[in-house]
Amino acid sequence: MAEPLIFERSVTGRRGWRLPPSDIARDTSSPPVPAEHLRRDPPALPEVAEFDVVRHYTRLSQQNFSVDTNFYPLGSCTMKYNPKLNERVAALPGFAWLHPLQPAEHVQGMLQLMHELEQLLCAITGMGAFTLQPAAGAQGELTGLKIIAAYHRRKRRRRSTILIPDSAHGTNPASAALSGFQVVQLKSGPNGLIDLTELKHKLTGDVAALMLTNPNTLGLFEREIRAICALLHERDALVYMDGANMNALLGIARPGDAGVDVLQLNLHKTFSTPHGGGGPGAGPVGVKASLEGFLPLPRVRQRGARFSWADQGRASVGRVHGFYGNVGMLVRAYAYIRTLGQEGLSRASRVAITNANYLKAKLHGVLSVPFDDPCLHEFVVSLKGLRAHGVSAGDVAKRLLDYGFYAPTVYFPLIVEEALMIEPTETESKQTLDAFVDALQRIVEEARTNPDVVRRAPQRMPVQRLDEVKAAREPNLRWSAPKSLAAHGSQ
Ligand SMILES: *Cc1c(COP(=O)(O)O)cnc(C)c1O
C-alpha cells in the first residue's frame, strides 16, 4: 500500500506535545521581529502526533533497500557494510558540536585528526600530500584537474587536452570539460586495458594529462601503469588517477609508487561512510610532493604539539569548499583506518578481490563474462544473450529486487553491451554470494521460459517501474496544502 504524504495524515488540532501556559508576562513593548516581517498566516505544517511521525518515517525507511538490510552489489560504488562504530565516533560531542568558526586553539583535536588522516592517506597511496576539502569524488577530480592546469600555467605553456579511456566513469570527461580542457578518448585494447599503441598515437604535445582509473571500471588492473606514467612524463604531461576503486589496492599497491602525480580517493566508498542517495561524501586529493604548493587552502599545519590553519600560498588553486569539507566523513574514515590498521586494510582488499573472483567463477556458464582475466574487486557481465528473449539488463536488474537483492550497476561501462557491473565487497559472506548466484540463475531461466515475468518486474515492491527521468525533467517543487490545512492556516 502506498504510504500517504505526512500532510495527508494531518488532523486539525492534533499535536505531538502540549506545553503548559507560560507564567512569564509577554513583553509587547519591543517585538523581537518588526511587524512588517511577520507572516500573516501560520505555516501550513501537518498536524500530527509523535507516533504519526515515527510510524510514517519508519514505514518509508522500510520501503528502501539499504546496505543494512540487503546485499547491494552496485558496481563502482563500493556499497560495503559501514561499521556502526564509525557513526558513534563521528557523533561524539567533541566532533559533532564543533563550529567551523571556532578558533584553532579550541579545535586542536579535530585539527590533529585531519592532519593524521592526511598522513595516513599519504602512507596508503604513496602520495606526498593531501587536501581533505573536496566533498565528493567528482569534486576531487575537478580539484585535481585545476592543479594540473596550474602546473602547466606555471611552466608558461598551453596544454589543452586530457586523454581519457573509453571505459572511464562519466564524471571524468565531465570534470575535464568543466575545467576547460578538450577530452580525447582512448579506445581500450581487446583485453579491456589501455592500449599502449593507441596511447602513443594520441600523446601529442598538447596533452596536459592522462586521466585513468586503476583498477579500471571493468575491475581490471592496468598492468602497464609504470610504462604508461613514464610515457606521459617523457612529455612533461601528468598522470591523474581516479582512485574511487582504491578498495582493491589497500596494502597491495600504491599509486604514488607507480608514478601517479595526482589522485582522488572516495572516502565514502573505500573508507566506509554510508553514501546512498547522494549523502555527504569526501573526495580528498593527493599529489606528489613537488605539486604540494598547488593544493587548496587552508591547510592544517603542525608546529610541535600545536595545530593551526595555514592560508598563505601563492601557487594554490584556492579554496574548493566552504570551511574544511565534510569533516564528519573525515572522522568516519579516520576511525575506520585506525580500527583496521595496516593488516586489516590489506585483508579487506584481499577479501574484496577474492569475493569478486568467486562470484565471477560461479556466474560462468550462467552469463557471459566479456573480459575474463582475473579481476580485482568488481567485474562486468553481459546479458546480450537474453536479447533474443526480449529481456534486457535493466529487466534482470529489476527482477533481482523481487529476489531481495539490490541491483548491480547497469549499462556501465559503456563499452560492454547490456552490462551488469557487480561489486560484492569484502563484507559479504559466502552464503550471500551463493544466494545471489542462485537468484541470477533462476532469473536467466525465467527469461528463457517466461520472459514476461522478468519484463514486468519488480512485482513485489511498493512501486513498479517509475519514469526515471520525469522527476528531473518536470520537478514538482510546489506542494499545495489540502483544503482542510489551508482553511486552518488562515484562521
Ligand atoms: C563513484 C565514482 C566517481 C564519482 O564519485 P562521487 O563521489 O560520486 O562524485 C568517479 N569515478 C569512479 C570510478 C567512481 O566509481
Side-chain angles (χ1 to χ4, degrees):
M1 190 189 61
E3 177 70 16
L5 300 176
I6 187 87
F7 293 95
E8 291 163 352
R9 293 209 171 274
S10 180
V11 174
T12 306
R14 182 171 286 173
R15 290 289 179 271
W17 40 263
R18 285 174 204 280
L19 293 180
S22 170
D23 58 358
I24 301 171
R26 190 179 235 187
D27 176 7
T28 49
S29 58
S30 58
V33 179
E36 72 264 30
H37 295 310
L38 288 175
R39 65 188 305 155
R40 268 168 290 135
D41 302 324
L45 296 175
E47 298 181 80
V48 286
E50 181 173 328
F51 69 76
D52 291 324
V53 177
V54 169
R55 289 179 184 167
H56 174 71
Y57 287 106
T58 303
R59 272 193 295 262
L60 283 182
S61 75
Q62 288 168 342
Q63 294 187 2
N64 238 339
F65 276 80
S66 71
V67 198
D68 285 358
T69 50
N70 302 79
F71 180 39
Y72 214 109
L74 193 65
S76 202
C77 296
T78 311
M79 302 298 284
K80 59 186 180 185
Y81 176 73
N82 304 295
K84 295 294 168 274
L85 174 66
N86 304 345
E87 301 302 311
R88 292 280 291 274
V89 173
L92 289 174
F95 292 127
W97 288 23
L98 293 186
H99 192 283
L101 292 178
Q102 275 176 271
E105 310 85 75
H106 291 188
V107 294
Q108 287 291 303
M110 180 60 102
L111 294 184
Q112 182 177 353
L113 181 145
M114 292 169 74
H115 193 259
E116 286 183 19
L117 179 60
E118 287 180 12
Q119 291 177 327
L120 290 168
L121 297 181
C122 285
I124 289 169
T125 58
M127 304 307 287
F130 262 90
T131 174
L132 304 173
Q133 268 185 39
Q139 201 191 8
E141 294 169 24
L142 191 74
T143 307
L145 287 158
K146 297 251 176 255
I147 290 171
I148 289 167
Y151 169 78
H152 290 296
R153 237 188 348 263
R154 194 181 58 180
K155 296 218 161 179
R156 299 188 180 285
R157 62 178 173 224
R158 229 181 98 76
R159 296 264 184 122
S160 53
T161 300
I162 301 282
L163 300 177
I164 303 183
D166 55 7
S167 58
H169 194 275
T171 50
N172 290 189
S175 301
L178 272 177
S179 307
F181 288 108
Q182 308 277 342
V183 174
V184 171
Q185 205 180 64
L186 293 181
K187 202 167 150 22
S188 299
N191 55 2
L193 300 176
I194 289 180
D195 180 345
L196 284 186
T197 317
E198 162 91 349
L199 173 61
K200 284 177 195 156
H201 178 62
K202 302 241 162 109
L203 189 49
T204 65
D206 189 49
V207 170
L210 164 70
M211 203 174 182
L212 56 65
T213 308
N214 200 15
N216 70 15
T217 61
L218 295 163
L220 302 175
F221 188 76
E222 293 287 356
R223 291 191 293 266
E224 300 292 345
I225 180 72
R226 277 177 198 276
I228 291 170
C229 291
L231 271 176
L232 271 287
H233 292 157
E234 263 168 35
R235 294 180 173 252
D236 202 10
L238 299 179
V239 177
Y240 181 96
M241 183 176 126
D242 180 334
N245 291 340
M246 196 66 202
N247 207 48
L249 302 184
L250 302 172
I252 302 173
R254 305 199 313 166
D257 298 343
V260 166
D261 301 296
V262 186
L263 100 174
Q264 110 276 354
L265 297 174
N266 285 30
L267 296 191
H268 42 295
K269 294 178 181 173
T270 312
F271 301 105
S272 84
T273 280
H275 60 280
V285 169
V287 293
K288 65 180 176 191
S290 60
L291 297 176
E292 181 171 358
F294 294 112
L295 287 176
L297 296 172
R299 311 209 44 227
V300 185
R301 181 176 48 196
Q302 180 175 20
R303 288 258 165 83
R306 309 293 303 163
F307 296 88
S308 57
W309 290 112
D311 55 9
Q312 301 293 318
R314 274 187 306 144
S316 168
V317 296
R319 191 182 260 293
V320 298
H321 194 285
F323 301 112
Y324 320 114
N326 285 330
V327 294
M329 276 68 254
L330 307 181
V331 178
R332 287 168 175 83
Y334 181 83
Y336 182 76
I337 293 171
R338 292 300 298 267
T339 309
L340 266 70
Q342 195 178 349
E343 264 304 303
L345 287 179
S346 159
R347 201 172 143 68
S349 279
R350 286 168 205 275
V351 176
I353 294 169
T354 308
N355 276 359
N357 280 284
Y358 176 75
L359 255 191
K360 183 158 84 73
K362 293 271 286 191
L363 286 174
H364 243 286
V366 182
L367 306 160
S368 115
V369 184
F371 298 98
D372 201 16
D373 286 338
C375 63
L376 290 189
H377 64 308
E378 65 191 359
F379 61 99
V380 178
V381 300
S382 168
L383 297 179
K384 212 167 66 172
L386 297 182
R387 269 193 196 147
H389 308 283
V391 168
S392 68
D395 296 330
V396 171
K398 299 280 186 211
R399 185 62 175 153
L400 271 168
L401 301 175
D402 281 336
Y403 283 92
F405 295 105
Y406 193 79
T409 299
V410 289
Y411 303 117
F412 177 71
L414 303 175
I415 56 176
V416 174
E417 286 180 80
E418 299 294 326
L420 280 192
M421 183 189 216
I422 302 173
E423 179 178 7
T425 83
E426 70 277 13
T427 56
E428 296 300 331
S429 66
K430 180 172 177 298
Q431 286 72 21
T432 303
L433 302 184
D434 288 340
F436 179 69
V437 171
D438 194 51
L440 266 175
Q441 236 156 2
R442 287 198 212 185
I443 294 169
V444 168
E445 189 53 34
E446 284 175 342
R448 296 209 178 96
T449 54
N450 186 8
D452 247 10
V453 72
V454 185
R455 282 196 294 255
R456 286 201 320 265
Q459 279 141 33
R460 296 174 206 150
M461 295 293 112
V463 290
Q464 264 69 47
R465 299 237 178 163
L466 300 175
D467 181 339
E468 288 169 4
V469 293
K470 191 174 161 75
R473 300 243 166 98
E474 302 164 35
N476 177 3
L477 303 177
R478 249 170 231 287
W479 173 78
S480 47
K483 289 228 170 53
S484 61
L485 255 183
H488 177 73
S490 57
Q491 269 171 17

